[in-house]
Amino acid sequence: MKRLNKVLAFGMAGAMALSLAACGGTTSSGSTSGTGETAGTTSSSDEVVTLKWVMVGNGQPSNYDAWLEQINPYLEDKIGVNIDVQVVSWEAWDQRRSAIVNTAGEYDILFTNTNTYTNDVGIGAFLDITDLLQEYAPDLWASIPEDYWDACRVNGQIYAVPTMKDSSISQYVVWDKAAMEAAGYDGSTMKDLTDPELTAALSSQGLKDYLAENNYDDTAWPLSSSAATYLTFQYDTMGAGLIAMGVRYDDTEGKVVSIFEQPDIVKYLDLLREWYNDGIINADANVKGEDNSYKPAAVAQGWPKAAVTTWGPNMGVEAVAYKWGPTIISNDSVRGSLNCISNNCEHPDKALEFLQLVNTDSYVRDLLYYGVQGDNWDYTDDTKEWVHKNNADWSMAGYTQGSFFTVTPTDDFDFNQYDEVAKLNEEAEPSVLLGFSMDTTPVADQLAQCIAIAESYKSELLTGACGQFDTPEEMVDEMVAEMNQVGFQEIMAEAQRQVDEFLAANPASSESAE
């Protein structure tokens, strides 16, 4: 990880990704539009380019117009750009994103992630920015580790800007501290989710009494239909978008496996089933559209002090977090937040300039992350070293936008939580397949059918509900049998062939995992 460490040591000063969107509309203006020749249509010096950016979040901000009045003049002065942002709700996101991509909907930049990135590249949705980055966004290019750019490559080309955030995966069991204490449990002793003491705490009368006394839902470990996908985080799915296939991050032989048939995953599936049957997981988990805002205990990806800065405040309680499993960097983890430029974007030069600015200019980053200055937040003084949040009403999701490391920290804590994030990223164990992305073209039809089958089972399997099946093993057998009928074994064989070629050509990848 020398390349990664070198850039992190550089200070994390400028970093990454953002979303924008609107297929390159322009409006007349006297502002200069920034750098010279464009890759697509050249922006003339007397016009302002409006970029449409589509992202996921809690819906359109109520003070969106006031926000545009702050950010657009600044962007116009800097690079001759205005933005038009559409924030799609979490519940509507999957359907909306699919419709936008598959109908070549009007956008300039679209937030996406590992679940759909490779397939969307395959259908020609996104622009190849490999040769444009250093020309139009050299500071952006320099601020991101080479490994991260490599994690975004599909067939050797780059189609996305990765967001520098908790780009490695660290999973934590997050507790409402008072709930944990009522259960008579010390979360710091937990070594794995399967520890009997954890199950005993989640089913304890003390926890039930606490939830009742505080008028909380009586579910100790609430889940929604998005399900406990974190159970498989130690498997690299190679960018194929199929949750049932992958390579364990530390398997130096790079064996492609059926994930849900692996012993380490089977034990988690059995645990979910036990919790579901015992009422620790809510009975409607497999059909529940939205997550609970309050969770006595749950798994979340993040960093230790997120319990203090984010998880606890979001629930209105004091929270504590205990790490579960290793910290891993993989293609999947880097691709947790990506921003892609539409293949139909008329002004890719301006889109890249914007992505660069939003990740290297703290004022732009703060406006995106916190909302309207003077309403949602203010700087504490003229040094602009700290932000004071006036409220938590801003509905854009910060992780979809750009680098965490250019966000001005808030004054309600005497530390910068993102120092922890940088340390986790730097010390993460690399997947043996970091830099590898499966070319799905030879098995595209089979893969599409298997993805549809696996997704149809996901909410039942990864909530413990199991549908009409008595055990997770029976459900997995049925799912794999269905996938085998449409080519699952062919996909596995093709993936293995490509993995073998990659590891043979990159022996350092397997050595780094040892």
Side-chain angles (χ1 to χ4, degrees):
M1 297 296 289
K2 289 182 179 178
R3 293 177 294 174
L4 173 59
N5 293 341
K6 181 178 179 181
V7 178
L8 288 167
F10 170 71
M12 295 297 185
M16 227 8 348
L18 253 191
S19 307
L20 292 183
C23 274
T26 59
T27 55
S28 179
S29 170
S31 300
T32 178
S33 63
T35 61
E37 306 285 320
T38 69
T41 302
T42 303
S43 307
S44 66
S45 61
D46 62 348
E47 61 184 20
V48 174
V49 173
T50 298
L51 300 168
K52 185 179 178 185
W53 171 16
V54 183
M55 64 169 74
V56 67
N58 290 317
Q60 206 73 355
S62 59
N63 54 355
Y64 173 74
D65 289 343
W67 179 75
L68 284 184
E69 290 176 3
Q70 289 185 345
I71 196 169
N72 273 345
Y74 188 86
L75 295 174
E76 186 172 328
D77 181 63
K78 287 283 186 178
I79 57 172
V81 160
N82 281 180
I83 55 171
D84 171 18
V85 180
Q86 181 182 3
V87 185
V88 181
S89 70
W90 302 102
E91 189 172 10
W93 174 249
D94 286 344
Q95 183 175 358
R96 176 67 177 141
R97 186 214 61 78
S98 179
I100 290 172
V101 168
N102 288 296
T103 61
E106 290 191 357
Y107 68 94
D108 287 300
I109 299 182
L110 180 71
F111 166 78
T112 191
N113 60 28
T114 189
N115 295 334
T116 56
Y117 173 59
T118 302
N119 288 336
D120 290 345
V121 168
I123 65 173
F126 303 139
L127 183 71
D128 178 355
I129 59 174
T130 312
D131 297 330
L132 305 180
L133 278 161
Q134 295 187 59
E135 180 176 2
Y136 296 113
D139 293 340
L140 178 62
W141 171 261
S143 69
I144 297 173
E146 186 177 349
D147 287 327
Y148 285 37
W149 288 118
D150 286 346
C152 295
R153 292 184 186 272
V154 178
N155 298 329
Q157 302 303 106
I158 300 170
Y159 296 86
V161 177
T163 299
M164 287 291 289
K165 57 180 194 70
D166 49 331
S167 300
S168 54
I169 299 177
S170 298
Q171 300 284 11
Y172 294 82
V173 175
V174 183
W175 276 93
D176 169 357
K177 184 179 180 182
M180 183 185 73
E181 292 173 346
Y185 179 62
D186 179 2
S188 66
T189 65
M190 184 203 70
K191 292 181 172 58
D192 190 72
L193 296 184
T194 56
D195 284 358
E197 294 81 3
L198 175 59
T199 297
L202 293 171
S203 57
S204 68
Q205 189 61 47
L207 178 56
K208 293 175 182 176
D209 291 343
Y210 172 81
L211 297 177
E213 290 165 4
N214 289 276
N215 297 315
Y216 290 131
D217 185 289
D218 63 358
T219 304
W221 192 278
L223 289 175
S224 70
S225 59
S226 58
T229 53
Y230 47 76
L231 295 181
T232 62
F233 85 100
Q234 295 187 51
Y235 286 82
D236 191 321
T237 58
M238 303 172 287
L242 178 57
I243 61 173
M245 179 185 72
V247 172
R248 189 176 161 89
Y249 83 99
D250 56 356
D251 180 5
T252 56
E253 294 183 359
K255 184 179 180 182
V256 178
V257 298
S258 172
I259 292 175
F260 295 117
E261 295 182 290
Q262 301 311 298
D264 57 334
I265 301 304
V266 169
K267 71 177 182 179
Y268 291 132
L269 298 178
D270 288 340
L271 180 68
L272 286 184
R273 181 60 172 167
E274 175 189 344
W275 286 0
Y276 183 86
N277 286 336
D278 291 346
I280 291 172
I281 293 173
N282 45 305
D284 65 345
N286 58 310
V287 294
K288 185 177 173 61
E290 294 287 342
D291 281 331
N292 283 12
S293 56
Y294 170 78
K295 299 178 181 180
V299 169
Q301 179 186 330
W303 52 95
K305 286 191 172 66
V308 178
T309 63
T310 305
W311 296 323
N314 285 350
M315 296 193 294
V317 301
E318 181 181 357
V320 288
Y322 303 101
K323 195 166 183 288
W324 161 54
T327 294
I328 301 166
I329 181 171
S330 67
N331 288 2
D332 288 354
S333 69
V334 172
R335 293 176 180 184
S337 177
L338 303 172
N339 285 278
C340 301
I341 297 174
S342 168
N343 223 350
N344 296 321
C345 180
E346 293 182 13
H347 302 287
D349 60 327
K350 307 310 291 184
L352 282 170
E353 284 182 49
F354 178 79
L355 292 176
Q356 174 172 265
L357 184 64
V358 80
N359 288 280
T360 57
D361 186 309
S362 288
Y363 181 60
V364 174
R365 190 69 192 93
D366 291 343
L367 286 172
L368 287 163
Y369 196 81
Y370 295 119
V372 178
Q373 185 179 11
D375 179 0
N376 302 112
W377 65 281
D378 286 291
Y379 291 114
T380 57
D381 56 40
D382 291 341
T383 66
K384 299 183 178 179
E385 293 180 358
W386 299 93
V387 159
H388 178 75
K389 288 182 66 176
N390 301 322
N391 55 62
D393 297 338
W394 188 241
S395 59
M396 290 188 187
Y399 86 95
T400 67
Q401 302 164 351
S403 172
F404 279 8
F405 306 107
T406 50
V407 176
T408 303
T410 57
D411 64 347
D412 43 357
F413 308 105
D414 60 357
F415 57 86
N416 186 347
Q417 62 178 323
Y418 299 126
D419 291 342
E420 283 189 337
V421 180
K423 188 172 187 293
L424 285 169
N425 286 348
E426 183 175 0
E427 296 177 352
E429 299 177 57
S431 165
V432 294
L433 296 187
L434 183 63
F436 169 78
S437 185
M438 181 181 174
D439 176 7
T440 60
T441 307
V443 288
D445 292 340
Q446 299 96 314
L447 184 61
Q449 294 180 75
C450 284
I451 289 173
I453 291 169
E455 290 298 318
S456 72
Y457 279 87
K458 181 180 75 173
S459 62
E460 295 280 354
L461 181 63
L462 294 179
T463 59
C466 289
Q468 76 271 29
F469 299 93
D470 292 329
T471 68
E473 289 86 349
E474 292 176 0
M475 174 169 264
V476 170
D477 286 346
E478 182 70 16
M479 177 180 70
V480 172
E482 284 190 35
M483 291 194 298
N484 283 340
Q485 290 177 359
V486 296
F488 185 43
Q489 295 305 316
E490 295 172 39
I491 300 169
M492 297 262 286
E494 177 61 25
Q496 190 67 69
R497 183 189 67 78
Q498 294 184 29
V499 167
D500 290 345
E501 288 183 356
F502 172 79
L503 292 179
N506 299 274
S509 295
S510 58
E511 291 170 5
S512 67
E514 294 177 346

